[in-house]
Amino acid sequence: MNNLVKKYGKEYFLGAIITLGIVYGDIGTSPLYVMSALINDQGGVSHITPDYIIGCLSLIFWTLMLITTVKYVIIAMRADNHGEGGIFALYALVKKRAKWLIVPALIGGAAILADGTLTPAVTVTTAIEGLKGFKFGNFIPVTSQSDVVLITITILLILFLVQRLGTSSIGKTFGFVMVFWFGFLAVFGFMNMCKDFTVLKALNPIYGVKVLFSSQNRMGIFILGSIFLATTGAEALYSDMGHVGRRNIYITWPLVYLSLMLNYFGQGAWILQQVKHQTITTNINPFYDMLPHSVYLIGVIIATLAAIIASQALITGSYTLVEEAIGLKILPRLKVYHPNVLKGQIYIGVVNWILCAITLSVVFFFRTSEHMEAAYGLAITLTMLMTTFLLFEYIRGKWSTPLAITCLLFFGSIETIFFISSLVKFVHGGYVTALITATLILIMVIWYYGNRIRDDLMDATEEVCLDDYVDQLVELSQDESIPLYMSNLVMLAKVKPNRKIKREILYSILDKQPKRAKVYWFVTVNTTNEPYTNYYTVDMMGTRNIVNLQLYLGFKSNHSLNLYLRQIVNDLMDQGIIDEQPQEYTTTPGRKVGDFVFVLIRELLSPNTNLKAWKRFLISARIWLQNHSTTPVQWFGLEFSDVRVENVPLYLKKRQMPFVNQKEILNTVSQKDDE
């Protein structure tokens, strides 16, 4: 019994540590800038009143309670797709209910990816600004905002460079840092709260409602744009569920929530004391200023580390969202790496470096955390609203319609107010994330609807049964009047269980310069959910030289297809299933396996296609994206193999071609001779 307690206790402890390191960086660093943003909204410290501070604290408390705790932790995290969370995982659960649900999925997914580019910039910049002007003896290492920008860019660049190591190792390292961080928040927040317990009045939501309509509140309802910054990490928390598991989030969130609120209340109490004694100064950041001087430097260091972890949470969440979008055919296929044996731990190089470029550009463009805070959070309000629409469909199908309607009206109303109040951010820099969101939506629309239109317009005859062409392939293989194209001709094409295959594959072999080979390989690569699956099945279709090969590889297995094929050829030869392929000219004596050529089919939209302009644009743009994203050569590790790419026309709604009549031409030469 004791051994079981120790075993599961250790498991829960390590799981909680990794969860703290991966999930809570974004929401956990909000105390760095939320209260500062609220002071700026009021026009500076000279306009701060006790009622304003208590009202703001009340809004923060109930926003975290209703949006983060109730909506995301209690409700949304029950909507997981095989353990994965996030808006795309939620869409996958409800997409069969109605076609229109793709709209909130596209908008919400694009918005969270776009707004997330500000998270690393704003958190790290805010943390480093705490060093500006701080003296180490007589030395001031950070004297200007340019120094802050340089240090911030260096830290972020290093962070993006280490992503290839995987989030498991990073999570364990960062987890212990976050334990210290949340303890730091709680301890110094509680110490300052003890100086003025009137902040506990903020637990009453009446104070939050009053401040929204108070004449002392200069921003009015638009103050909610800054209040919302306290909960921006909630969507990332849902997205990261696949990395750490629902149970670990349930275990850790109450402690995180308590630490956050103690710190917010501590900052509020400190501000009230400064107002009361009229000692408040300009350009304050309550998080840093409430710390005793003896621990100020420790506070800056731990805040910087927490800011790095906040960036980590955003990056890992982005990987998950993009992978889910690829699986749903919302984004083009990208190379996904699995740094360790956990399928939820992934790395996508293209996403990593695009995020890096945009984040560094944001730092250069905005330069100060104040400017970044003014732009931060706009798009994420849109994402939360879209998630609510999808949750409505999930709850309606899973539990009951009345409950679904209640959730839609309740959370939808709150988030609509947040969205409206955040619109003021557009002119202060929110247009940057709006532009990125629009670009991502365009890519998603092109890829998703380009696929849909293509599939809807495809002629049913574009798919054929491989059985019907077996005799022709055997005859072609034996026809010595045609030069041998290659010993092994490999067609990378998905063969369905009923042996259905795209017509263009057989068109390439039979019609477009007949390709004679000793063995025709039709290879389907299936990726499994296990890390190191490695097996294959062979269907010879009653022949000795036509192979329907189904290859099953784990998500961490080497996908170098040519290496597997050479082993499989040797296996089949040893079993006497296919004939040996002796080579007359070779550097390897006794070689019995011939050469290989891999034929890849690339579609191009035929000009002989009658489509409306917008449909032609979507399909053409989709094909362009397909040809400029991860290619099959990269996907299957064929960079050093003999690969031949063939362009084939994609016919959709063929035009009615006009007939050309032959006209008799007079033989003018003969007429002249007769004359």
Side-chain angles (χ1 to χ4, degrees), residues 41-192:
D41 284 346
Q42 189 66 352
V45 293
S46 59
H47 302 286
I48 297 297
T49 64
D51 288 342
Y52 178 79
I53 293 299
I54 292 173
C56 289
L57 290 174
S58 181
L59 290 172
I60 291 172
F61 177 84
W62 287 104
T63 296
L64 283 171
M65 175 63 73
L66 297 176
I67 300 298
T68 309
T69 305
V70 178
K71 177 187 171 182
Y72 280 98
V73 177
I74 295 177
I75 299 176
M77 290 186 63
R78 304 301 304 176
D80 69 291
N81 186 19
H82 301 291
E84 296 290 344
I87 192 167
F88 289 137
L90 181 57
Y91 167 69
L93 295 173
V94 300
K95 63 179 181 177
K96 293 182 180 179
R97 288 185 163 272
K99 291 183 178 180
W100 69 269
L101 292 172
I102 185 60
V103 176
L106 292 179
I107 296 174
I112 188 174
L113 287 171
D115 202 71
T117 58
L118 276 176
T119 300
V122 70
T123 52
V124 177
T125 302
T126 303
I128 300 301
E129 282 177 343
L131 280 175
K132 191 165 65 171
F134 185 81
K135 291 184 178 181
F136 292 86
N138 295 322
F139 177 59
I140 304 177
V142 182
T143 59
S144 66
Q145 193 63 29
S146 295
D147 294 337
V148 172
V149 170
L150 181 60
I151 295 172
T152 299
I153 288 173
T154 302
I155 291 173
L156 290 173
L157 189 57
I158 293 172
L159 178 64
F160 282 106
L161 284 169
V162 302
Q163 289 304 308
R164 189 65 173 83
L165 300 175
T167 56
S168 179
S169 57
I170 293 174
K172 290 176 183 176
T173 303
F174 284 173
F176 290 102
V177 176
M178 292 303 288
V179 170
F180 185 75
W181 168 249
F182 286 116
F184 187 89
L185 291 179
V187 169
F188 289 99
F190 181 74
M191 287 173 56
N192 282 274

Side-chain angles (χ1 to χ4, degrees), residues 439-480:
T439 302
L440 287 170
I441 290 175
L442 178 61
I443 293 172
M444 291 176 177
V445 167
I446 287 171
W447 190 257
Y448 180 81
Y449 284 103
N451 273 324
R452 288 285 301 272
I453 295 170
R454 177 190 181 280
D455 292 342
D456 290 344
L457 297 177
M458 280 288 287
D459 192 332
T461 60
E462 292 302 314
E463 205 172 64
V464 297
C465 182
L466 195 54
D467 291 334
D468 298 336
Y469 296 88
V470 168
D471 292 341
Q472 287 193 57
L473 292 172
V474 171
E475 290 176 11
L476 175 59
S477 178
Q478 297 171 352
D479 189 350
E480 296 185 358

Side-chain angles (χ1 to χ4, degrees), residues 9 19 30 47 86 112 177 254 285 311 329 347 363 382 422 479 526 550 578 605 661:
T19 301
S30 57
H47 302 286
I112 188 174
V177 176
N285 184 325
S311 304
K329 296 184 178 180
Y347 169 77
V363 176
L382 190 59
S422 295
D479 189 350
N526 305 283
Q550 297 286 330
I578 64 175
L605 188 61
N661 297 316

Side-chain angles (χ1 to χ4, degrees), residues 536 538 544 567-578 592:
Y536 66 91
V538 167
R544 292 184 63 81
Q567 178 206 321
I568 293 170
V569 171
N570 277 293
D571 289 348
L572 298 183
M573 287 180 179
D574 292 342
Q575 297 169 28
I577 295 176
I578 64 175
K592 62 179 182 179

Side-chain angles (χ1 to χ4, degrees), residues 561-609:
L561 189 57
N562 58 339
L563 300 179
Y564 290 114
L565 272 178
R566 291 192 179 277
Q567 178 206 321
I568 293 170
V569 171
N570 277 293
D571 289 348
L572 298 183
M573 287 180 179
D574 292 342
Q575 297 169 28
I577 295 176
I578 64 175
D579 298 326
E580 293 186 358
Q581 303 166 356
Q583 300 295 297
E584 183 175 355
Y585 304 102
T586 178
T587 59
T588 308
R591 176 181 170 183
K592 62 179 182 179
V593 178
D595 44 10
F596 287 81
V597 65
F598 296 84
V599 177
L600 303 178
I601 303 299
R602 182 169 63 181
E603 294 177 340
L604 297 175
L605 188 61
S606 171
N608 183 25
T609 300

